[in-house]
Amino acid sequence: MATCPLPDDATLDQVNDLFRNDRYANETLRPRIEEASHGHSRVSMDIEPHHLNAMGSLMGGVPFVLADFSFAIASNIGQAPTVSISSTIDHVGVPRTNRLIATCDLDKDGRSVCFATVVVNDDANNPVARVHFKGFRKH
């Protein structure tokens, strides 16, 4: 049985050490892992000029990548390595501040499959996106 290197009681330092290797998310978003536990995570980032599209609005991929990073953290602590196999995103608003926060909670935490919802808001709690993930655990 494959196991994730993160135990159920992983510390924030252990989580940061492992997910530092997620180069795409780290290099493009510069996220900060604020909370991380089995089935839950909270990740934030500052919106920078390179996150904007040609119209000056937030590029749609930014909240998705932040949500995916948050899902990866919440679904892998204390579990077999888990990867996303399906996801949907609803862009529900635009950020009114320059900081995004993605909060992931697993809705169903099964042995082989998990389901999660990630809420992405700005730091004034204005909704930006809702992302639903289905993950597969590699045993």
Side-chain angles (χ1 to χ4, degrees):
M1 171 190 221
T3 58
C4 181
L6 291 173
D8 220 17
D9 60 349
T11 65
L12 209 48
D13 286 339
Q14 289 173 305
V15 174
N16 275 299
D17 285 346
L18 177 66
F19 285 96
R20 186 171 290 118
N21 295 318
D22 192 334
R23 291 185 51 206
Y24 183 78
N26 282 296
E27 291 174 13
T28 59
L29 304 180
R30 297 187 195 115
R32 290 176 298 280
I33 302 170
E34 297 178 1
E35 299 172 7
S37 59
H38 179 101
H40 172 79
S41 70
R42 178 182 156 115
V43 180
S44 66
M45 62 166 281
D46 294 325
I47 299 172
E48 299 177 18
H50 69 276
H51 297 130
L52 305 179
N53 62 24
M55 302 300 135
S57 298
L58 185 67
M59 175 62 89
V62 172
F64 181 81
V65 173
L66 187 66
D68 186 56
F69 188 67
S70 187
F71 169 72
I73 294 165
S75 64
N76 276 288
I77 294 175
Q79 288 289 346
T82 304
V83 296
S84 170
I85 57 173
S86 176
S87 58
T88 60
I89 185 168
D90 295 309
H91 297 278
V92 296
V94 296
R96 306 277 184 219
T97 68
N98 289 325
R99 186 168 175 249
L100 294 179
I101 300 167
T103 304
C104 178
D105 287 296
L106 294 187
D107 302 315
K108 168 82 168 105
D109 193 11
R111 187 178 105 62
S112 297
V113 177
C114 65
F115 296 87
T117 301
V118 182
V119 175
V120 181
N121 292 336
D122 66 18
D123 64 349
N125 211 31
N126 296 303
V128 176
R130 299 289 180 274
V131 189
H132 299 279
F133 287 95
K134 182 190 308 180
F136 175 73
R137 302 204 190 278
K138 299 186 211 179
H139 292 281

